[in-house]
Amino acid sequence: MQKATVVDTSCLILLTKIEQLGLLYELFGTITITPAIADEYGYPLPTWVQIINPKEDSLKIFKAFLDAGEASAIALVMESPSSLLIVDELKGRQVAKEIGIKFTGSVGMLKLAEKKGLISNMTEVIKKIKKKLISEYLMPY
């Protein structure tokens, strides 16, 4: 596998909710996900998303302590160590750090988009994220 950007489910979902999924393409071109991530995401995928299965032997190791999406993403990046992993969950980030995988999260990706001029106002994007999270996850008492 060539150098790739492997994206975990949480980033895809967040960007979809704030209507910014295209930022991934603008920043990285084709991105890579695994079948497990595609299943977790559950929405139709743009043509610039490629789906690749990691090798089963490396996947088994990570499935022991990570969810299916994170395990498959890390296993896939292990097959191409120069790849970038975009992952938000703490356990996935800890594993990536321990084994030397280059990673960032959704906020890091958004900061890069701002730096490259793809986002004009990061404060507004963060407000939009907060509004979505509050409306979807918090119920009034």
Side-chain angles (χ1 to χ4, degrees), residues 52-94:
I52 298 177
N53 259 319
K55 293 177 183 160
E56 189 60 36
D57 54 336
S58 59
L59 181 57
K60 286 179 188 177
I61 297 166
F62 299 112
K63 275 186 174 178
F65 47 92
L66 295 172
D67 75 27
E70 291 168 339
S72 64
I74 290 174
L76 193 59
V77 171
M78 291 296 294
E79 295 172 19
S80 179
S82 63
S83 296
L84 172 67
L85 173 64
I86 301 177
V87 60
D88 291 327
E89 291 81 3
L90 183 59
K91 267 184 154 178
R93 294 169 73 94
Q94 288 173 332

Coordinates of all heavy atoms in Angstrom, one line a residue, residues 52-94:
I52 N -10.1 -0.6 1.8 CA -9.1 -1.6 1.8 C -9.1 -2.4 3.1 O -9.3 -1.9 4.2 CB -7.7 -1.0 1.6 CG1 -7.6 -0.2 0.3 CG2 -6.6 -2.1 1.7 CD1 -6.2 0.5 0.1
N53 N -9.1 -3.7 2.9 CA -9.0 -4.6 4.0 C -7.6 -4.8 4.6 O -6.7 -5.0 3.8 CB -9.5 -6.0 3.6 CG -10.9 -6.3 4.0 OD1 -11.3 -6.0 5.1 ND2 -11.6 -7.0 3.1
P54 N -7.4 -4.6 5.8 CA -6.0 -4.9 6.4 C -5.8 -6.4 6.4 O -6.8 -7.2 6.4 CB -6.1 -4.3 7.8 CG -7.5 -4.3 8.2 CD -8.3 -4.2 6.9
K55 N -4.6 -6.8 6.5 CA -4.3 -8.2 6.6 C -4.8 -8.8 8.0 O -4.7 -8.1 9.0 CB -2.8 -8.5 6.5 CG -2.2 -8.1 5.2 CD -0.8 -8.3 5.1 CE -0.3 -7.9 3.7 NZ 1.1 -7.6 3.7
E56 N -5.4 -9.9 7.9 CA -6.1 -10.5 9.1 C -5.1 -10.7 10.3 O -5.5 -10.5 11.4 CB -6.8 -11.8 8.7 CG -7.7 -12.4 9.8 CD -8.8 -11.5 10.2 OE1 -9.4 -10.8 9.3 OE2 -9.2 -11.4 11.4
D57 N -3.9 -11.1 10.0 CA -3.0 -11.4 11.2 C -2.7 -10.1 12.0 O -2.7 -10.2 13.2 CB -1.7 -12.1 10.7 CG -1.0 -11.3 9.6 OD1 -1.6 -10.5 8.9 OD2 0.2 -11.5 9.5
S58 N -2.5 -9.0 11.3 CA -2.3 -7.8 12.1 C -3.6 -7.3 12.7 O -3.5 -6.7 13.8 CB -1.6 -6.7 11.2 OG -2.5 -6.4 10.1
L59 N -4.7 -7.5 12.1 CA -6.0 -7.0 12.6 C -6.3 -7.8 13.9 O -6.8 -7.1 14.9 CB -7.1 -7.3 11.6 CG -8.5 -6.9 11.9 CD1 -8.5 -5.4 12.3 CD2 -9.4 -7.2 10.8
K60 N -6.0 -9.0 14.0 CA -6.3 -9.8 15.2 C -5.7 -9.2 16.5 O -6.3 -9.2 17.5 CB -5.9 -11.3 15.1 CG -6.7 -12.1 14.1 CD -6.2 -13.5 14.0 CE -6.9 -14.3 13.0 NZ -6.3 -15.6 12.8
I61 N -4.5 -8.8 16.4 CA -3.8 -8.2 17.5 C -4.5 -7.0 18.1 O -4.8 -6.9 19.3 CB -2.4 -7.7 17.1 CG1 -1.5 -8.9 16.6 CG2 -1.7 -7.0 18.2 CD1 -0.3 -8.6 15.9
F62 N -5.0 -6.1 17.2 CA -5.6 -4.9 17.7 C -7.1 -5.1 18.1 O -7.6 -4.3 18.9 CB -5.5 -3.8 16.6 CG -4.1 -3.4 16.3 CD1 -3.5 -3.7 15.1 CD2 -3.3 -2.8 17.3 CE1 -2.2 -3.4 14.9 CE2 -1.9 -2.5 17.1 CZ -1.4 -2.8 15.8
K63 N -7.7 -6.1 17.5 CA -9.1 -6.3 17.9 C -9.3 -6.8 19.4 O -10.4 -6.6 19.9 CB -9.7 -7.5 17.0 CG -10.3 -7.0 15.7 CD -10.9 -8.2 15.0 CE -11.6 -7.7 13.7 NZ -12.2 -8.9 13.0
A64 N -8.2 -7.2 20.0 CA -8.3 -7.6 21.3 C -8.6 -6.5 22.3 O -9.1 -6.7 23.4 CB -6.9 -8.3 21.7
F65 N -8.2 -5.3 21.9 CA -8.4 -4.1 22.9 C -9.0 -2.9 22.2 O -9.1 -1.9 22.9 CB -7.1 -3.9 23.7 CG -5.9 -3.8 22.8 CD1 -5.5 -2.6 22.3 CD2 -5.2 -4.9 22.5 CE1 -4.3 -2.5 21.5 CE2 -4.0 -4.8 21.8 CZ -3.6 -3.6 21.3
L66 N -9.3 -2.9 21.0 CA -9.9 -1.7 20.3 C -11.2 -2.1 19.6 O -11.4 -3.3 19.3 CB -8.9 -1.1 19.3 CG -7.6 -0.6 19.8 CD1 -6.7 -0.2 18.6 CD2 -7.9 0.7 20.6
D67 N -12.1 -1.2 19.3 CA -13.2 -1.5 18.6 C -12.9 -1.8 17.1 O -11.7 -1.6 16.7 CB -14.3 -0.4 18.7 CG -14.0 0.8 17.8 OD1 -13.3 0.8 16.8 OD2 -14.5 1.9 18.2
A68 N -13.8 -2.4 16.4 CA -13.5 -2.9 15.0 C -12.9 -1.9 14.1 O -12.0 -2.1 13.4 CB -14.7 -3.6 14.4
G69 N -13.5 -0.7 14.1 CA -13.0 0.4 13.2 C -11.6 0.8 13.6 O -10.8 0.9 12.7
E70 N -11.3 1.1 14.8 CA -10.0 1.6 15.2 C -9.0 0.5 15.0 O -7.9 0.7 14.5 CB -10.0 1.9 16.7 CG -10.7 3.2 17.0 CD -10.9 3.3 18.5 OE1 -10.8 2.3 19.3 OE2 -11.2 4.5 19.0
A71 N -9.3 -0.8 15.3 CA -8.4 -1.9 15.1 C -8.0 -2.0 13.7 O -6.9 -2.2 13.3 CB -9.0 -3.2 15.7
S72 N -9.0 -1.9 12.8 CA -8.8 -2.1 11.4 C -8.0 -0.9 10.8 O -7.1 -1.1 10.0 CB -10.1 -2.3 10.6 OG -10.9 -1.2 10.7
A73 N -8.3 0.3 11.3 CA -7.5 1.5 10.8 C -6.1 1.4 11.2 O -5.2 1.6 10.4 CB -8.2 2.7 11.4
I74 N -5.8 1.0 12.5 CA -4.4 0.9 12.9 C -3.7 -0.2 12.2 O -2.5 -0.1 11.8 CB -4.3 0.8 14.4 CG1 -4.7 2.1 15.1 CG2 -3.0 0.3 14.9 CD1 -4.9 2.1 16.6
A75 N -4.4 -1.4 12.0 CA -3.8 -2.5 11.3 C -3.4 -2.1 9.9 O -2.3 -2.4 9.4 CB -4.7 -3.7 11.3
L76 N -4.3 -1.3 9.2 CA -4.0 -0.9 7.9 C -2.8 0.1 7.8 O -2.0 0.0 6.9 CB -5.3 -0.2 7.3 CG -5.3 0.1 5.8 CD1 -5.1 -1.2 5.0 CD2 -6.6 0.8 5.4
V77 N -2.7 1.0 8.7 CA -1.6 2.0 8.8 C -0.3 1.2 9.0 O 0.7 1.6 8.5 CB -1.8 3.1 9.8 CG1 -0.6 3.9 10.0 CG2 -3.0 4.0 9.4
M78 N -0.4 0.1 9.8 CA 0.8 -0.7 10.1 C 1.4 -1.3 8.8 O 2.6 -1.5 8.7 CB 0.5 -1.8 11.1 CG 0.3 -1.3 12.5 SD 1.7 -0.5 13.3 CE 2.8 -1.8 13.4
E79 N 0.6 -1.5 7.8 CA 1.0 -2.0 6.5 C 1.7 -1.0 5.7 O 2.4 -1.3 4.7 CB -0.2 -2.6 5.8 CG -0.8 -3.8 6.5 CD -2.0 -4.3 5.9 OE1 -2.3 -4.0 4.7 OE2 -2.8 -5.0 6.6
S80 N 1.5 0.3 6.0 CA 2.2 1.4 5.3 C 2.5 2.5 6.3 O 1.8 3.5 6.5 CB 1.2 2.0 4.2 OG 1.9 3.1 3.6
P81 N 3.6 2.3 7.1 CA 4.0 3.1 8.2 C 4.1 4.6 7.9 O 4.0 5.4 8.8 CB 5.3 2.6 8.7 CG 5.3 1.2 8.2 CD 4.6 1.2 6.9
S82 N 4.3 5.0 6.7 CA 4.3 6.5 6.4 C 3.0 7.1 6.3 O 2.9 8.3 6.1 CB 5.1 6.7 5.1 OG 4.5 6.1 4.0
S83 N 1.9 6.3 6.4 CA 0.6 6.8 6.3 C 0.2 7.7 7.6 O 0.8 7.5 8.6 CB -0.4 5.7 6.2 OG -0.2 5.0 5.0
L84 N -0.8 8.5 7.4 CA -1.3 9.3 8.5 C -2.7 8.7 8.9 O -3.5 8.3 8.1 CB -1.6 10.8 8.0 CG -2.3 11.7 8.9 CD1 -1.5 12.0 10.2 CD2 -2.7 13.0 8.3
L85 N -2.9 8.6 10.2 CA -4.1 8.1 10.8 C -4.9 9.3 11.4 O -4.3 10.0 12.1 CB -3.8 7.0 11.8 CG -5.0 6.5 12.7 CD1 -6.0 5.8 11.8 CD2 -4.5 5.7 13.8
I86 N -6.1 9.4 11.1 CA -7.0 10.4 11.7 C -7.9 9.6 12.6 O -8.8 8.9 12.2 CB -7.8 11.2 10.7 CG1 -6.8 12.0 9.8 CG2 -8.6 12.2 11.4 CD1 -7.4 12.8 8.7
V87 N -7.7 9.8 13.9 CA -8.5 9.0 14.9 C -8.7 9.9 16.1 O -7.9 10.7 16.5 CB -7.7 7.7 15.3 CG1 -6.4 8.0 15.9 CG2 -8.6 6.9 16.3
D88 N -9.9 9.9 16.7 CA -10.3 10.7 17.8 C -10.3 10.0 19.2 O -10.0 10.6 20.2 CB -11.7 11.4 17.6 CG -11.6 12.4 16.5 OD1 -10.6 13.0 16.3 OD2 -12.7 12.5 15.8
E89 N -10.7 8.7 19.2 CA -10.8 8.0 20.4 C -9.5 7.9 21.2 O -8.5 7.5 20.6 CB -11.5 6.6 20.2 CG -12.9 6.7 19.7 CD -13.1 7.0 18.2 OE1 -12.1 7.1 17.5 OE2 -14.2 7.1 17.8
L90 N -9.6 8.1 22.5 CA -8.4 8.1 23.3 C -7.6 6.7 23.2 O -6.4 6.8 23.0 CB -8.7 8.4 24.7 CG -7.5 8.4 25.7 CD1 -6.5 9.5 25.3 CD2 -8.0 8.7 27.1
K91 N -8.3 5.6 23.3 CA -7.6 4.3 23.2 C -6.8 4.2 21.9 O -5.7 3.7 21.9 CB -8.6 3.2 23.3 CG -8.8 2.7 24.7 CD -9.7 1.5 24.7 CE -9.5 0.6 25.8 NZ -10.4 -0.6 25.8
G92 N -7.5 4.5 20.8 CA -6.8 4.4 19.5 C -5.6 5.3 19.4 O -4.6 4.9 18.8
R93 N -5.7 6.5 19.9 CA -4.6 7.5 19.9 C -3.5 7.0 20.7 O -2.3 7.1 20.4 CB -5.1 8.8 20.4 CG -6.1 9.5 19.4 CD -6.7 10.7 20.0 NE -5.8 11.8 20.1 CZ -5.7 12.8 19.1 NH1 -6.5 12.7 18.1 NH2 -4.9 13.8 19.3
Q94 N -3.8 6.4 21.9 CA -2.7 5.8 22.8 C -2.0 4.7 22.1 O -0.8 4.6 22.1 CB -3.3 5.4 24.1 CG -3.8 6.5 25.0 CD -4.5 6.0 26.2 OE1 -5.2 5.0 26.2 NE2 -4.5 6.8 27.3

